[in-house]
C-alpha cells in the first residue's frame, strides 16, 4: 500500500497516515477496528503536530479497510471531545452479511479475486467461526424473522436500480430459519462488522462520503445500498462506479 498512499498524498497535496493494524487470525476481531479507531483518535487530537487542519481529516479504506472506515466513522459520531470528521472514503467496501444473494453476489460469484465463497469464508475466519455454517448462511437461514423484518428496510434487492440487474438476477427462495445457526452467526450482525445495518440515529450523523463501486464485484451492491441509506438521511455522497472495474482494482 505504500505506493498507493504516496500517490494519494502527491495527487491531493495531503498528509496521508497509513494504519498498520494488527491482522487476524493471530489478533482476533475486533482488534483491527480498535487499532484503527485508536490511531484515528490519536491523530485527531494531535493533527496540528503534523501540520494538518483538524477540521479537514478524512478517513479512507478499501475492501475490509472500507468496512473499518465505515465503522470508525460511525464510532465517532457521538464524540464531543474530538473534531468532526470531514469525510469518509469507502472503496468497494464489505458492509453486510444479511443477504449473500443480492444481484452483485449472483452475477459475480465466480469473478476473481473475490469469489462469493471466498468472501464468506474470509468473513467467518475473521470472526473466528467455523466455515461449516457457510451453506446455511448463503441460504439466509442465519437471520431470524424479526431481524429479517428490521433489516429489509436497508438490505433489500428492491433498492438496487434496475440497470444493475440486467446481467441476471433471481429473487432468492425463502428457507427456514435455524436458531442454532443464528446463535453461531450472531456476531455477523454487529455494526462494527456490518456497518450497513447500524441504527438510523447513527447513520443520520455521519460525515459526507465518497463511495467507489465496481461492476464485476460481489460487493458492488453493499456500496449501492449504503449510498442509498446515507442519501435517505440527507448526507452528501459522491459516487464513482467503474463499469469495467473488479474487486482489488486499486
Amino acid at each position: 500500500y505504500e505506493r498507493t498512499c504516496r500517490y494519494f498524498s502527491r495527487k491531493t497535496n495531503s498528509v496521508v497516515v497509513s494504519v498498520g493494524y494488527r491482522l487476524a487470525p493471530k489478533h482476533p476481531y475486533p482488534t483491527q477496528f480498535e487499532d484503527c479507531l485508536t490511531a484515528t483518535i490519536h491523530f485527531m487530537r494531535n493533527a496540528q503536530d503534523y501540520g494538518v487542519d483538524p477540521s479537514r481529516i478524512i478517513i479512507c479504506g478499501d475492501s475490509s479497510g472500507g468496512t473499518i472506515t465505515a465503522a470508525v466513522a460511525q464510532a465517532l459520531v457521538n464524540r464531543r471531545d474530538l473534531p468532526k470528521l470531514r469525510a469518509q472514503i469507502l472503496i468497494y467496501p464489505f458492509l453486510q452479511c444479511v443477504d449473500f444473494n443480492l444481484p452483485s453476489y449472483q452475477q459475480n460469484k465466480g469473478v476473481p479475486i473475490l469469489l462469493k465463497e471466498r468472501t464468506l469464508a474470509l468473513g467467518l475466519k475473521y470472526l473466528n467461526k467455523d466455515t461449516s455454517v457457510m451453506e446455511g448462511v448463503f441460504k439466509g437461514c442465519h437471520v431470524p424473522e424479526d431481524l429479517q423484518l428490521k433489516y429489509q428496510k436497508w438490505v433489500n434487492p428492491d433498492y438496487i436500480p434496475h440497470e444493475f440487474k440486467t446481467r441476471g438476477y433471481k429473487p432468492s427462495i425463502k428457507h427456514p430459519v435455524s436458531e442454532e445457526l443464528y446463535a453461531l452467526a450472531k456476531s455477523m450482525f454487529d455494526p462494527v462488522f456490518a456497518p450497513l445495518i447500524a441504527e438510523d440515529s447513527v447513520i443520520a450523523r455521519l460525515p459526507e462520503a465518497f463511495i467507489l463501486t465496481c461492476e464485476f464485484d460481489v460487493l458492488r451492491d453493499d456500496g449501492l445500498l449504503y449510498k442509498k441509506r446515507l442519501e435517505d438521511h440527507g448526507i452528501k455522497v459522491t459516487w464513482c462506479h467503474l463499469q469495467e472495474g473488479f474487486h482489488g482494482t486499486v
Side-chain angles (χ1 to χ4, degrees), residues 62-64 67 91-96 100 104-123 138 214-220 222 246-249:
D62 75 317
S63 195
S64 58
T67 317
I91 300 170
Y92 37 74
F94 170 91
L95 297 170
Q96 62 85 32
F100 285 97
S104 61
Y105 270 106
Q106 291 187 21
Q107 295 160 3
N108 302 310
K109 64 184 180 194
V111 176
I113 53 172
L114 197 62
L115 313 178
K116 177 176 169 173
E117 289 206 353
R118 182 176 288 168
T119 309
L120 182 52
L122 289 171
F138 279 143
C214 292
E215 181 58 31
F216 298 100
D217 181 5
V218 288
L219 302 183
R220 179 196 70 202
D222 284 24
F246 52 89
H247 195 84
T249 210

Side-chain angles (χ1 to χ4, degrees), residues 9 11 13-14 24 30 35 37 54 69 72 94 99 103 119-121 128 135 138 152 160-161 164 170 180 199 218:
S9 181
K11 289 288 183 184
N13 191 27
S14 304
D35 283 356
L37 181 61
T69 300
V72 167
F94 170 91
D99 188 348
T119 309
L120 182 52
N128 207 14
E135 195 179 336
F138 279 143
Q152 72 180 12
I160 303 297
F164 293 103
K170 283 184 184 164
E180 191 187 346
E199 295 297 331
V218 288

